[in-house]
């Protein structure tokens, strides 16, 4: 399963600022240092070629030949490649995640019957860097107090599950 989200325009602006700071720092270094001037100048002149970030295609461009399925979470199906792309635009909002068995082994003692429901979990999608994680928060252990330090201690002591990443 691959997850998609809308592009964050602030990250491109931040990337340009970081590139500008880096180039300014290198130019200052070139002025103050006389060792390896040609190599550093070459690096500064070639830096934009290495620093150019690849622009991600829009959701419309990526899924133009896919079948769209609207719903609570809109997804796109690529029948040729057998891939599903989800359009996630609500980060850190909780939702129910239900697994099931679409096909089974028939009537047997193992209990793997078609349509059997699996686990149910409360999950949320979280962005971490350029990755999107499907996180299952740990609601088994909670601090029922107003003390912020105690709540933070409980959150840090008991992990949450990362169900998927893309």
């Amino acid at each position: 399963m691959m997850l998609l989200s809308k592009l964050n325009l602030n990250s491109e602006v931040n990337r340009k600022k970081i590139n500008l700071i880096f180039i300014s720092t290198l130019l200052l270094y070139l002025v103050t240092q006389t060792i390896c001037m040609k190599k550093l100048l070459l690096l500064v002149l070639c830096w934009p070629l290495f620093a150019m970030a690849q622009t991600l295609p829009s959701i419309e461009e990526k899924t133009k030949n896919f079948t769209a399925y609207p719903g609570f979470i809109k997804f796109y199906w690529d029948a040729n490649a057998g891939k599903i792309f989800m359009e996630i635009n609500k980060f850190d909002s909780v939702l129910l995640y239900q697994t099931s068995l679409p096909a089974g082994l028939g009537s047997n003692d193992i209990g793997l019957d078609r349509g059997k429901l699996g686990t149910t979990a409360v999950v949320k999608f979280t962005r971490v860097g350029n990755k999107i994680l499907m996180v299952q928060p740990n609601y088994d252990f909670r601090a029922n107090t107003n003390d912020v330090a105690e709540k933070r201690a409980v959150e840090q002591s008991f992990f949450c599950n990362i169900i998927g990443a893309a």
Side-chain angles (χ1 to χ4, degrees), residues 34-55:
T34 58
I35 302 171
C36 301
M37 291 287 282
K38 291 180 181 177
K39 291 180 182 178
L40 288 175
L41 183 59
L42 181 64
L43 177 66
V44 169
L45 293 175
C46 293
W47 178 254
L49 298 174
F50 298 115
M52 280 190 223
Q54 294 179 349
T55 57

Side-chain angles (χ1 to χ4, degrees), residues 8-10 15 23 27 29 35 47 62 72-73 84 90 92 96 109 120 124 129-132 137 161:
N8 184 358
L9 298 177
N10 292 333
R15 216 175 286 125
I23 291 172
L27 287 174
Y29 182 79
I35 302 171
W47 178 254
K62 182 76 175 176
F72 186 72
I73 296 179
I84 295 176
K90 297 177 186 173
D92 297 318
L96 290 177
D109 295 335
T120 303
K124 62 182 177 178
N130 63 348
K131 297 285 184 189
I132 297 174
N161 294 327

Side-chain angles (χ1 to χ4, degrees), residues 78-94:
D78 181 7
N80 295 330
K83 292 185 178 182
I84 295 176
F85 293 87
M86 296 170 56
E87 182 177 337
I88 301 169
N89 52 15
K90 297 177 186 173
F91 290 100
D92 297 318
S93 331
V94 295

Side-chain angles (χ1 to χ4, degrees), residues 51-114:
M52 280 190 223
Q54 294 179 349
T55 57
L56 294 175
S58 68
I59 293 174
E60 291 78 20
E61 292 171 359
K62 182 76 175 176
T63 61
K64 65 182 173 185
N65 296 325
F66 297 2
T67 305
Y69 293 90
F72 186 72
I73 296 179
K74 187 175 183 179
F75 69 95
Y76 303 90
W77 168 246
D78 181 7
N80 295 330
K83 292 185 178 182
I84 295 176
F85 293 87
M86 296 170 56
E87 182 177 337
I88 301 169
N89 52 15
K90 297 177 186 173
F91 290 100
D92 297 318
S93 331
V94 295
L95 58 116
L96 290 177
Y97 176 67
Q98 176 71 58
T99 60
S100 65
L101 191 61
L105 296 176
S107 181
N108 58 50
D109 295 335
I110 299 173
L112 298 175
D113 296 326
R114 179 179 56 86

